[in-house]
C-alpha cells in the first residue's frame, strides 16, 4: 500500500463520508465523487469504503448508471422503518412499512383503500368509519388516532368530532304510554331532516318541535332512511326482554370474550367481530346466559343450526327440550330457537316470531343481513341484538347496513389475539403463475369477458403448483379450495385426494372432515361449500387454487381455516399472471392485511 493510498484511507471516515454526501447534495455517491470531495484517489476511497462496509457502517449497491454507489447503513435502517404521511384535507393516510400495531389500530377507525404500488398502505377515514368506530367516546377514538400519527392534526380531529356528534342527533325512545318516539337534538333537525326524509309510513304526528310519534313496526326502516341521510340513530327503546331463561354458562370465557360480553350488555346491540378461531360463538353463548331471556338465533343454513345446538348443549346448562330448530327440516319454537334467515323472513312463518317476546336475537354470519333475502329478518327487534362475523364486509359496500340494523362492531384487534397466542397468525402468499401453454393463453385472449375468469382459474399450471406446494409441506394437513366442480375433480384426481362439494351427501362429508380432524386423512379438496356454514376443521396449509372472483369475505374465510391456537400455518393464493385474477387476489387479501396479517407476493417461473 502506498503512502498516498494509506493517507486516503485514513481520510475517508464515516464523518468525512457524511460531509461528502452533504456536499454532493445526494443520498448516495460513487467512490469517485467521495474521492473528489475528500481529496484522495478513487482507489483509496474505494478501499476505505469497503472497510466501512465490513464494519457495518456503510452499504454498497451495484446500479446500472454507476458501477457502485455507497450510502450510510443507518439510512437503510431508516428506509425500513414505518412512515406515516397524513393528508388531512382528503382524510387519507399513507403508511409505508406499517407495523402490526399501526395496521390494527387503523382498522378500528379507517378504511383500507389500497396496499399495492409504491404508496404503501393507503387508508381513508370516512363518515361511516367514525360512526361505527368501537369506542366509548370521541376522546378514546382521537387517542387511538394520535398514537399512530407523527403529529396531531387539528383539522382532521375537528372533522372527526363533528362526525361523532352527527351520529348522536336522533334517538328512538319509548314513551311512558308504550309507543315509540323519534327525538331530534334540535327543532331544525326534526323539521328539515326527519320530517323531510320520512313519511306517513314512518311517523304518525308531531309530539313537540323535536319529537314525533313513530308508526309501530317502522323502527328499522327509520334507522335505514336516516342513516342514508347521514344521521345514524341511537336506539334507546325499552324493548322486550322475553320470558326469563334459566341458563348458566359452563365454560370459562377468555379475557377478551368477557370484554365483548360486558360491552354488549352495556350497549344492548352490537356485532362481535373477530378472526376464525377467536370463539365468537362461545362469546355469544356467554351473552345469552348473561341476558337470561328467551333467545332467537338466526343462521344461514340447517347445518349451522345443528352446530349451534351442539355448542349450546356443550357450553351451557340447557337441556335438549329447551332448544328448538325452525327450518325446512324442523318446526319447533322453544325458549331458545334456532331458525334460518329464509324461514324467519317468510310471511307465513313471520307471525310466529313476531308474537314471541325475545330477550335476545343473535344474527350469525351477520354479513348476510343487507341482502334482500335476509333483510326482513332484521326487522325483528329485541332489547338485545347481537351479530357475529369474522368478516363483515360486502362487495356492494353495504356493510354499514349491518351496524345500522343490528348494532356497532365489538371486537378485539386481530393483532392482539395473535400476540396473546389465542390465534396464530397465518403466513399468506400470493403466487402469480404463468400459463401452462400457449394454447391456454390464446384461449384466454380470444374468450368472451365472462369466460376469461374461469379459463384463468382453471389454468393447468395450477395443478403442478398444488403438487409442488404439497410436496414442500409433506406433513401438513392441507385444504385445497376451488370454485368449479370440474376443476375440483381434476385436482383431486391429480393429487389422489377426496373432493368435498355440495353434491356430496352430508354423512359422507362429515366422515371425511372427522378423518381430517383426527389426522387420518392429510388432504382434502373443497368447493365453495367450505366457505361458511359448516364445521370445517382448521388446517395447517390452505391453497386457494381457484375462486378469486369471490368476495373479500370469502378470501378471509378461506385464510381463516388455518387460524388456530397452536402451530404455524400457511396460505397460498394461486393467480394466473396477467389476468383479472391478479387484481382479485390483491383485493381478497387486502382485508387480511388491514387486520394485521402480512401478505407477500411471489412470481413463479
Amino acid at each position: 500500500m502506498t503512502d498516498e493510498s494509506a493517507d486516503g484511507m485514513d481520510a475517508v471516515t464515516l464523518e468525512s463520508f457524511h460531509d461528502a454526501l452533504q456536499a454532493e447534495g445526494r443520498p448516495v455517491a460513487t467512490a469517485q465523487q467521495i474521492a473528489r470531495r475528500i481529496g484522495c484517489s478513487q482507489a483509496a476511497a474505494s478501499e476505505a469504503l469497503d472497510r466501512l462496509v465490513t464494519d457495518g457502517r456503510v452499504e454498497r449497491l451495484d446500479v446500472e448508471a454507476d458501477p457502485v454507489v455507497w450510502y450510510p447503513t443507518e439510512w437503510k435502517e431508516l428506509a425500513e422503518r414505518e412512515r406515516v404521511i397524513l393528508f388531512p384535507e382528503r382524510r387519507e393516510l399513507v403508511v409505508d412499512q406499517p407495523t402490526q400495531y399501526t395496521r390494527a389500530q387503523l382498522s378500528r377507525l379507517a378504511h383500507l383503500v389500497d396496499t399495492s404500488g409504491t404508496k404503501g398502505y393507503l387508508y381513508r377515514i370516512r363518515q361511516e368509519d367514525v360512526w361505527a368506530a368501537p369506542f366509548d367516546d370521541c376522546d378514546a377514538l382521537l387517542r387511538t388516532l394520535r398514537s399512530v400519527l407523527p403529529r396531531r392534526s387539528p383539522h382532521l380531529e375537528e372533522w372527526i368530532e363533528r362526525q361523532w356528534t352527527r351520529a348522536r342527533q336522533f334517538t328512538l325512545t319509548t314513551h311512558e304510554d308504550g309507543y315509540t318516539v323519534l327525538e331530534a337534538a334540535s327543532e331544525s333537525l326534526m323539521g328539515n331532516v326527519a320530517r323531510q326524509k320520512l313519511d306517513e309510513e314512518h311517523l304518525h304526528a308531531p309530539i313537540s318541535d323535536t319529537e314525533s310519534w313513530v308508526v309501530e313496526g317502522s323502527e328499522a326502516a327509520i334507522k335505514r332512511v336516516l342513516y342514508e341521510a347521514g344521521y345514524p340513530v341511537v336506539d334507546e327503546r325499552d324493548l322486550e326482554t322475553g320470558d326469563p331463561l334459566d341458563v348458566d354458562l359452563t365454560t370459562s370465557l377468555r379475557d377478551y370474550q368477557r370484554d365483548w360480553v360486558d360491552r354488549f350488555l352495556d350497549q344492548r346491540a352490537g356485532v362481535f367481530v373477530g378472526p376464525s378461531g377467536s370463539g365468537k360463538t362461545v362469546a355469544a353463548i356467554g351473552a345469552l346466559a348473561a341476558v337470561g331471556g328467551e333467545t332467537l338465533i338466526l343462521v344461514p343454513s340447517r347445518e349451522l343450526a345443528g352446530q349451534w345446538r351442539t355448542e349450546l348443549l356443550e357450553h351451557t346448562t340447557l337441556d335438549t327440550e329447551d332448544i328448538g330448530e325452525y327450518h325446512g327440516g324442523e318446526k319447533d319454537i322453544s325458549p331458545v330457537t334456532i331458525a334460518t334467515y329464509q324461514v324467519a323472513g317468510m310471511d307465513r312463518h313471520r307471525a310466529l316470531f313476531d308474537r314471541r317476546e325475545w330477550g335476545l336475537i343473535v344474527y350469525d354470519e351477520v354479513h348476510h343481513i343487507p341482502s334482500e333475502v335476509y333483510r326482513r329478518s332484521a326487522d325483528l327487534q329485541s332489547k338485545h341484538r347481537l351479530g357475529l362475523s369474522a368478516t363483515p364486509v360486502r362487495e356492494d359496500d353495504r356493510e354499514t347496513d349491518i351496524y345500522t340494523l343490528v348494532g356497532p362492531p365489538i371486537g378485539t384487534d386481530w393483532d392482539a389475539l395473535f400476540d396473546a397466542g389465542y390465534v396464530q397468525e397465518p403466513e399468506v402468499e400470493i403466487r402469480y403463475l404463468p400459463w401452462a401453454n400457449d394454447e391456454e393463453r390464446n384461449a384466454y385472449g380470444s374468450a368472451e369477458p365472462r369466460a376469461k375468469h374461469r379459463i384463468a382459474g382453471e389454468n393447468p399450471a395450477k395443478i403442478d403448483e398444488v403438487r409442488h406446494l404439497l410436496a414442500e409441506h409433506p406433513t401438513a394437513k392441507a385444504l385445497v379450495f376451488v370454485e368449479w366442480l370440474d376443476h375440483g375433480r381434476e385436482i383431486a384426481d391429480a393429487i389422489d385426494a377426496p373432493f368435498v362439494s355440495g353434491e356430496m351427501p352430508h354423512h359422507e362429508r362429515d366422515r371425511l372432515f372427522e378423518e381430517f380432524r383426527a389426522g387420518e386423512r392429510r388432504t382434502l379438496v373443497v368447493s365453495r361449500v367450505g366457505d361458511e356454514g359448516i364445521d370445517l376443521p382448521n388446517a395447517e396449509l390452505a391453497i386457494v387454487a381457484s375462486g378469486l372472483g369471490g368476495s373479500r369475505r370469502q378470501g378471509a374465510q378461506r385464510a381463516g381455516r388455518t387460524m388456530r391456537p397452536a402451530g404455524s400455518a400457511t396460505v397460498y393464493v394461486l393467480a394466473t399472471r396477467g389476468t383479472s385474477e391478479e387484481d382479485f387476489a390483491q383485493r381478497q387479501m387486502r382485508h387480511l392485511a388491514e387486520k394485521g396479517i402480512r401478505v407477500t407476493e411471489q412470481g413463479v417461473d
Side-chain angles (χ1 to χ4, degrees):
M1 181 183 298
T2 66
D3 293 340
E4 180 184 354
S5 177
D7 291 342
M9 290 185 64
D10 292 338
V12 182
T13 63
L14 184 62
E15 290 72 26
S16 64
F17 178 52
H18 277 279
D19 292 340
L21 290 176
Q22 185 173 357
E24 284 290 315
R26 299 179 61 199
V28 299
T30 64
Q32 182 182 30
Q33 292 166 330
I34 297 298
R36 184 177 69 249
R37 292 293 178 182
I38 292 177
C40 66
S41 69
Q42 182 177 344
S46 293
E47 289 184 52
L49 290 167
D50 280 333
R51 184 189 62 198
L52 291 174
V53 169
T54 302
D55 294 340
R57 307 176 78 181
V58 167
E59 298 286 334
R60 59 175 287 160
L61 178 67
D62 294 322
V63 295
E64 294 181 1
D66 294 295
V68 177
V69 293
W70 313 78
Y71 58 93
T73 297
E74 61 263 29
W75 291 9
K76 176 183 177 182
E77 295 170 353
L78 179 64
E80 294 175 350
R81 295 175 190 167
E82 174 184 273
R83 291 183 296 279
V84 181
I85 303 172
L86 172 67
F87 300 91
E89 298 292 334
R90 301 202 304 263
R91 298 185 293 279
E92 291 182 347
L93 298 93
V94 175
V95 189
D96 191 28
Q97 302 289 338
T99 64
Q100 284 192 350
Y101 172 83
T102 296
R103 295 200 306 273
Q105 294 299 83
L106 286 177
S107 72
R108 306 171 71 194
L109 53 87
H111 172 67
L112 180 64
V113 178
D114 190 18
T115 61
S116 61
T118 58
K119 293 184 178 180
Y121 284 53
L122 174 61
Y123 290 90
R124 183 175 297 126
I125 303 176
R126 308 167 300 176
Q127 279 184 319
E128 54 266 36
D129 298 319
V130 178
W131 297 345
F135 299 96
D136 293 332
D137 52 54
C138 190
D139 286 342
L141 188 160
L142 293 176
R143 284 195 299 272
T144 298
L145 177 65
R146 292 166 189 160
S147 72
V148 299
L149 293 182
R151 63 188 62 86
R152 291 183 61 172
S153 171
H155 176 84
L156 178 59
E157 292 189 7
E158 288 170 7
W159 179 84
I160 288 174
E161 289 173 342
R162 289 198 302 272
Q163 296 308 315
W164 185 271
T165 302
R166 188 183 183 97
R168 288 150 183 82
Q169 297 299 295
F170 287 98
T171 306
L172 287 173
T173 61
T174 301
H175 192 271
E176 59 183 9
D177 293 333
Y179 57 84
T180 301
V181 174
L182 176 66
E183 183 177 349
S186 68
E187 179 182 350
S188 175
L189 282 169
M190 178 57 74
N192 297 329
V193 178
R195 290 176 185 151
Q196 293 293 323
K197 299 291 182 180
L198 303 169
D199 53 31
E200 63 274 6
E201 294 181 359
H202 308 105
L203 302 176
H204 280 302
I207 299 174
S208 70
D209 290 338
T210 59
E211 297 173 308
S212 290
W213 182 6
V214 171
V215 174
E216 185 177 0
S218 68
E219 293 86 357
I222 288 173
K223 289 181 182 181
R224 286 196 293 266
V225 171
L226 290 181
Y227 191 98
E228 290 166 0
Y231 292 93
V233 177
V234 179
D235 193 344
E236 294 185 349
R237 290 174 291 162
D238 296 329
L239 294 168
E240 300 295 342
T241 57
D243 290 338
L245 181 66
D246 185 15
V247 56
D248 291 316
L249 188 68
T250 58
T251 297
S252 296
L253 297 179
R254 298 167 179 169
D255 290 343
Y256 68 85
Q257 290 172 321
R258 281 195 297 271
D259 178 62
W260 289 358
V261 173
D262 291 341
R263 288 168 60 187
F264 171 72
L265 294 175
D266 182 54
Q267 298 173 189
R268 302 187 304 183
V271 177
F272 286 169
V273 179
S276 302
S278 59
K280 295 182 296 296
T281 300
V282 174
I285 292 173
L288 181 154
V291 170
E294 295 198 345
T295 298
L296 173 64
I297 301 170
L298 296 171
V299 297
S301 67
R302 292 169 55 178
E303 287 88 352
L304 206 50
Q307 291 173 36
W308 264 95
R309 172 186 284 275
T310 300
E311 294 286 324
L312 286 165
L313 292 174
E314 179 180 350
H315 298 293
T316 72
T317 55
L318 292 171
D319 295 324
T320 54
E321 59 268 21
D322 297 322
I323 306 170
E325 295 184 39
Y326 201 99
H327 46 66
E330 294 184 39
K331 298 290 191 299
D332 177 25
I333 290 186
S334 299
V336 176
T337 300
I338 311 165
T340 56
Y341 285 104
Q342 297 94 325
V343 171
M346 292 180 180
D347 289 336
R348 65 178 181 272
H349 303 296
R350 180 62 182 273
L352 290 171
F353 297 102
D354 278 337
R355 285 199 298 267
R356 200 90 176 196
E357 296 181 352
W358 305 106
L360 169 66
I361 299 179
V362 178
Y363 304 87
D364 199 4
E365 304 289 358
V366 73
H367 44 264
H368 290 296
I369 280 290
S371 65
E372 297 305 321
V373 175
Y374 294 85
R375 197 178 184 112
R376 292 191 63 195
S377 60
D379 291 339
L380 290 166
Q381 296 289 288
S382 166
K383 187 179 183 71
H384 298 91
R385 299 181 306 280
L386 174 61
L388 308 181
S389 182
T391 48
V393 294
R394 294 177 56 86
E395 300 314 299
D396 55 13
D397 292 326
R398 291 172 64 185
E399 57 259 30
T400 51
D401 285 2
I402 297 168
Y403 305 131
T404 305
L405 298 171
V406 179
I410 298 172
T412 300
D413 298 339
W414 288 33
D415 182 58
L417 297 179
F418 297 149
D419 288 345
Y422 289 121
V423 181
Q424 291 298 311
E425 176 184 1
E427 297 177 7
V428 180
E429 181 178 295
I430 303 174
R431 290 202 163 192
Y432 301 108
L433 277 63
W435 287 102
N437 50 60
D438 290 339
E439 182 181 350
E440 295 291 334
R441 181 188 294 106
N442 294 335
Y444 178 86
S446 60
E448 294 294 326
R450 296 188 64 176
K452 284 180 178 289
H453 178 60
R454 179 161 184 173
I455 294 173
E458 295 184 335
N459 177 7
K462 293 185 177 182
I463 294 178
D464 290 336
E465 188 64 18
V466 169
R467 285 199 193 99
H468 170 70
L469 293 172
L470 293 175
E472 278 195 340
H473 303 79
T475 62
K477 292 198 299 182
L479 295 173
V480 181
F481 290 97
V482 296
E483 181 77 359
W484 298 282
L485 298 180
D486 290 344
H487 194 213
R489 296 187 190 103
E490 190 176 5
I491 291 179
D493 290 342
I495 64 175
D496 191 24
F499 175 44
V500 181
S501 71
E503 296 179 343
M504 178 177 284
H506 291 294
H507 67 87
E508 187 174 349
R509 187 169 69 190
D510 292 342
R511 176 181 60 79
L512 288 172
F513 287 158
E514 186 55 42
E515 290 175 358
F516 187 88
R517 286 190 201 90
E520 299 168 6
R521 188 173 296 277
R522 189 175 68 85
T523 306
L524 294 176
V525 181
V526 186
S527 73
R528 294 185 69 174
V529 73
D531 290 343
E532 67 177 29
I534 60 171
D535 186 16
L536 187 62
N538 290 335
E540 297 161 314
L541 174 67
I543 303 172
V544 180
S546 61
L548 293 180
S551 65
R552 291 167 286 165
R553 183 179 67 252
Q554 182 192 59
Q557 285 167 331
R558 289 177 168 183
R561 296 304 185 184
T562 67
M563 295 182 189
R564 58 198 194 287
S568 60
T570 307
V571 180
Y572 292 103
V573 179
L574 308 185
T576 301
R577 184 184 296 140
T579 71
S580 58
E581 282 199 319
E582 287 194 2
D583 293 334
F584 284 132
Q586 291 166 1
R587 182 186 65 181
Q588 281 196 347
M589 296 302 105
R590 191 174 301 149
H591 182 65
L592 290 176
E594 182 182 11
K595 296 299 185 182
I597 293 175
R598 294 192 181 277
V599 179
T600 60
E601 299 172 275
Q602 178 177 318
V604 177
D605 294 332

